[in-house]
Amino acid sequence: MIQKRISDLIGYGLKTGLIEEADKVYTVNGLLELFGLDEWEETKSDRDATLTDILEDMLDYAAAHGLLAEDTVTYRDLFDTKIMGLLMPRPSEVRNKFRKLYREQGAKAATDYYYKLSGDSNYIRRDRVKKDLKWTTDTEFGTLDITINLSKPEKDPKAIAAAKLMKQSGYPKCLLCKENEGYAGRVNHPARQNHRIVPVIINGSDWFFQYSPYVYYNEHCIVFNGEHTPMKIERATFGKLLDFVEQFPHYFVGSNADLPIVGGSILSHDHFQGGNYEFPMAKAPMERQIKFAGFEDVKAGIVKWPMSVIRLRAADKERLVELADKILTVWRGYTDEAAFVFAETEGEPHNTITPIARMRNGEYELDLVLRNNITTEKHPLGVYHPHAELHHIKKENIGLIEVMGLAVLPARLKDEIAALERIYRTKGDYRRDELTEKHADWMEDILNRYPQMDADKLHIVLQEEIGQVFKRVLMDAGVYKCTEEGRVAFMEFVDAVNR
């Protein structure tokens, strides 16, 4: 079996362009060494064999022959990445081809090549990404995108136990560092032999470009600082974002905020996220035009969105940088007690911005989302964070992706939704099942509004209701509420920028 699967993998590599005919013997010998084999008899490759099937059979062989420490998802992931690493071109080859395509055919041709490579190499695990559950929900703010993330593997108890016994390593310093390229990985750090990164210069500084292995949306990329330096929203941030979209105009790019609660999961390494995707917030119109003194050449407005968003648009990116920096500076120090906006308490800063850049009809566009991470006794996880009554659906921080209108919901919801449907069909008690207990109040409210619902329609109703919960999550995260009083308070901040 292993001989046949080696032939199939070589066939896959030739078909996808990961290797060329001249690489065949070299790659076979690497695979023979990896599997502890002394010889190879070539067989006709199965052109219909999927990469998932090939790797699964290879992993089963490795487990049966003692090549895996444990036959668990963590060790299987480490080993199959090592397999695919043997089919990968050198980093210099990838970078040279990317630059050549960019120079001769343009940015889209370069990213098309790089994105395909990232999938063909199994760095982006397409088989897992396909498992994500996705749907949309219509709201007064537009159509929101909802996904239940199933592409990240569940925590492996044996790997967790092994990690506790391991000597702590500081290399690479984090999951975003450039030193991950080609890294063999360990039980508490993913293998990256099949990972390649591309250097980019933005705003005069050395950064790198890669794709997210979990691709929450089309061509989900990460742009990260070449140095392991903390996240910081500042004037230079706006210049970097706009410089990136100038170089890659078919992509948007944005940054998580730089404070806990309202920031991303990795605040220790400065990075952005982008991609070839139009998010719901990008489609939302400006509901009110506003003007900033001295910047009459910049189109500006408040976006019709559940969070507090100022949109700026201009042909001159330096003018956008200048105005965005002014708005950020004023917001950092802005307090409005009546609106429960505090710049700081006991020396701890609370105000920051989530910025997003894109090109639109030949002009530069910046969305500035006002954020505040203050906590209270009533809301210990954050006043502008999903409130407790919504935690049964979404408790995690609202980062860049959610801000733009894509809910990334926890994998647990797949089984919990199935349990809700099962109990509805059997007329059971939601409060007596550990999977549904947390949803009981919510479910009772739904059934009060749909008293004679057909069981076959419950799945669609639950998806719609989850989408409406996400809308409420975004409204909770908005500093200024979508009310007449909230808009007045929002305009008072605009006036403060103009003073």
Side-chain angles (χ1 to χ4, degrees), residues 101-128:
L101 285 168
Y102 186 99
R103 184 173 61 251
E104 296 179 358
Q105 299 182 39
K108 188 175 185 306
T111 57
D112 284 350
Y113 152 72
Y114 184 37
Y115 190 59
K116 181 178 181 298
L117 173 72
S118 299
D120 290 344
S121 67
N122 209 40
Y123 166 72
I124 296 173
R125 294 177 179 266
R126 291 169 175 154
D127 59 321
R128 292 182 183 169

Side-chain angles (χ1 to χ4, degrees), residues 399-442:
L400 171 69
I401 294 173
E402 286 89 359
V403 163
M404 296 185 292
L406 169 59
V408 181
L409 301 178
R412 62 173 171 83
L413 283 175
K414 178 185 177 183
D415 291 338
E416 291 170 5
I417 290 172
L420 288 170
E421 294 174 9
R422 170 177 51 78
I423 292 174
Y424 183 74
R425 291 177 188 277
T426 59
K427 303 186 185 307
D429 187 344
Y430 301 105
R431 299 185 188 278
R432 291 180 177 270
D433 189 306
E434 62 179 2
L435 286 176
T436 61
E437 181 183 12
K438 67 174 72 69
H439 300 293
D441 290 342
W442 176 63

Side-chain angles (χ1 to χ4, degrees), residues 190-231:
R192 289 290 183 252
Q193 292 103 321
N194 59 351
H195 179 41
R196 298 294 180 262
I197 60 177
V198 174
V200 290
I201 295 176
I202 51 175
N203 207 35
S205 56
D206 294 330
W207 283 52
F208 288 88
F209 171 49
Q210 68 178 52
Y211 288 103
S212 165
Y214 306 113
V215 288
Y216 294 140
Y217 50 87
N218 188 47
E219 296 179 46
H220 178 182
C221 70
I222 300 172
V223 187
F224 61 98
N225 198 317
E227 301 298 324
H228 183 77
T229 187
M231 296 279 292

Side-chain angles (χ1 to χ4, degrees), residues 61-253:
Y61 177 91
H65 289 77
L67 300 178
L68 304 183
E70 296 282 352
D71 189 12
T72 65
V73 65
T74 298
Y75 292 100
R76 289 172 77 93
D77 282 1
L78 289 170
F79 197 83
D80 72 6
T81 304
K82 193 172 186 177
I83 293 172
M84 293 306 298
L86 296 173
L87 279 71
M88 292 298 292
R90 293 275 185 174
S92 58
E93 296 176 61
V94 174
R95 297 176 187 188
N96 289 336
K97 185 166 184 177
F98 184 92
R99 292 190 189 103
K100 186 174 188 293
L101 285 168
Y102 186 99
R103 184 173 61 251
E104 296 179 358
Q105 299 182 39
K108 188 175 185 306
T111 57
D112 284 350
Y113 152 72
Y114 184 37
Y115 190 59
K116 181 178 181 298
L117 173 72
S118 299
D120 290 344
S121 67
N122 209 40
Y123 166 72
I124 296 173
R125 294 177 179 266
R126 291 169 175 154
D127 59 321
R128 292 182 183 169
V129 173
K130 288 178 182 176
K131 296 177 182 178
D132 289 348
L133 304 179
K134 298 181 180 182
W135 68 92
T136 60
T137 298
D138 293 333
T139 75
E140 65 268 36
F141 301 104
T143 301
L144 302 180
D145 296 329
I146 314 297
T147 180
I148 295 178
N149 173 38
L150 302 174
S151 54
K152 283 188 179 181
E154 295 294 324
K155 296 292 184 182
D156 176 358
K158 290 185 178 180
I160 292 171
K164 289 180 180 178
L165 300 176
M166 286 181 63
K167 179 181 177 182
Q168 291 301 306
S169 172
Y171 182 90
K173 291 181 179 177
C174 78
L175 293 170
L176 292 180
C177 285
K178 60 188 178 185
E179 289 79 13
N180 282 280
E181 186 178 38
Y183 185 61
R186 51 187 190 267
V187 293
N188 59 355
H189 194 106
R192 289 290 183 252
Q193 292 103 321
N194 59 351
H195 179 41
R196 298 294 180 262
I197 60 177
V198 174
V200 290
I201 295 176
I202 51 175
N203 207 35
S205 56
D206 294 330
W207 283 52
F208 288 88
F209 171 49
Q210 68 178 52
Y211 288 103
S212 165
Y214 306 113
V215 288
Y216 294 140
Y217 50 87
N218 188 47
E219 296 179 46
H220 178 182
C221 70
I222 300 172
V223 187
F224 61 98
N225 198 317
E227 301 298 324
H228 183 77
T229 187
M231 296 279 292
K232 187 176 183 182
I233 302 297
E234 57 186 351
R235 181 188 179 99
T237 304
F238 306 126
K240 291 169 185 171
L241 294 173
L242 292 169
D243 195 14
F244 182 84
V245 296
E246 182 177 36
Q247 294 181 53
F248 300 92
H250 59 304
Y251 276 15
F252 83 91
V253 70

Side-chain angles (χ1 to χ4, degrees), residues 162-456:
K164 289 180 180 178
L165 300 176
M166 286 181 63
K167 179 181 177 182
Q168 291 301 306
S169 172
Y171 182 90
K173 291 181 179 177
C174 78
L175 293 170
L176 292 180
C177 285
K178 60 188 178 185
E179 289 79 13
N180 282 280
E181 186 178 38
Y183 185 61
R186 51 187 190 267
V187 293
N188 59 355
H189 194 106
R192 289 290 183 252
Q193 292 103 321
N194 59 351
H195 179 41
R196 298 294 180 262
I197 60 177
V198 174
V200 290
I201 295 176
I202 51 175
N203 207 35
S205 56
D206 294 330
W207 283 52
F208 288 88
F209 171 49
Q210 68 178 52
Y211 288 103
S212 165
Y214 306 113
V215 288
Y216 294 140
Y217 50 87
N218 188 47
E219 296 179 46
H220 178 182
C221 70
I222 300 172
V223 187
F224 61 98
N225 198 317
E227 301 298 324
H228 183 77
T229 187
M231 296 279 292
K232 187 176 183 182
I233 302 297
E234 57 186 351
R235 181 188 179 99
T237 304
F238 306 126
K240 291 169 185 171
L241 294 173
L242 292 169
D243 195 14
F244 182 84
V245 296
E246 182 177 36
Q247 294 181 53
F248 300 92
H250 59 304
Y251 276 15
F252 83 91
V253 70
S255 175
N256 269 303
D258 55 356
L259 294 178
I261 297 176
V262 296
S265 58
I266 302 178
L267 293 176
S268 61
H269 196 132
D270 200 11
H271 69 284
F272 308 142
Q273 295 183 76
N276 188 6
Y277 189 71
E278 187 175 31
F279 275 83
M281 191 175 79
K283 299 175 186 175
M286 290 191 284
E287 67 177 8
R288 178 170 183 170
Q289 301 288 324
I290 55 179
K291 292 187 180 298
F292 291 101
F295 294 90
E296 287 75 14
D297 55 320
V298 177
K299 302 180 187 74
I302 293 174
V303 179
K304 184 179 180 182
W305 195 244
M307 297 183 70
S308 307
V309 187
I310 296 173
R311 178 167 293 164
L312 309 176
R313 190 183 304 149
D316 184 348
K317 70 178 180 181
E318 295 305 322
R319 293 290 285 163
L320 283 192
V321 171
E322 188 176 350
L323 178 52
D325 182 52
K326 182 177 181 180
I327 293 170
L328 173 65
T329 300
V330 174
W331 180 244
R332 290 280 196 197
Y334 187 76
T335 291
D336 179 353
E337 294 187 13
F340 207 79
V341 174
F342 295 88
E344 59 87 21
T345 55
E346 299 180 356
E348 179 186 351
H350 296 305
N351 289 348
T352 185
I353 278 176
T354 298
I356 302 105
R358 65 185 73 89
M359 299 297 297
R360 193 186 294 273
N361 299 324
E363 291 188 306
Y364 300 92
E365 187 170 275
L366 265 180
D367 283 350
L368 305 177
V369 188
L370 306 182
R371 311 298 303 274
N372 181 289
N373 76 343
I374 194 168
T375 61
T376 63
E377 191 172 314
K378 182 180 178 182
H379 300 294
L381 297 181
V383 172
Y384 305 109
H385 178 87
H387 291 173
E389 66 272 17
L390 306 180
H391 288 178
H392 65 107
I393 299 294
K394 177 73 173 175
K395 185 178 181 180
E396 298 77 15
N397 291 353
I398 303 305
L400 171 69
I401 294 173
E402 286 89 359
V403 163
M404 296 185 292
L406 169 59
V408 181
L409 301 178
R412 62 173 171 83
L413 283 175
K414 178 185 177 183
D415 291 338
E416 291 170 5
I417 290 172
L420 288 170
E421 294 174 9
R422 170 177 51 78
I423 292 174
Y424 183 74
R425 291 177 188 277
T426 59
K427 303 186 185 307
D429 187 344
Y430 301 105
R431 299 185 188 278
R432 291 180 177 270
D433 189 306
E434 62 179 2
L435 286 176
T436 61
E437 181 183 12
K438 67 174 72 69
H439 300 293
D441 290 342
W442 176 63
M443 193 65 183
E444 286 181 4
D445 175 64
I446 292 172
L447 296 180
N448 285 335
R449 290 184 282 115
Y450 296 89
Q452 304 297 325
M453 180 170 45
D454 189 307
D456 293 335

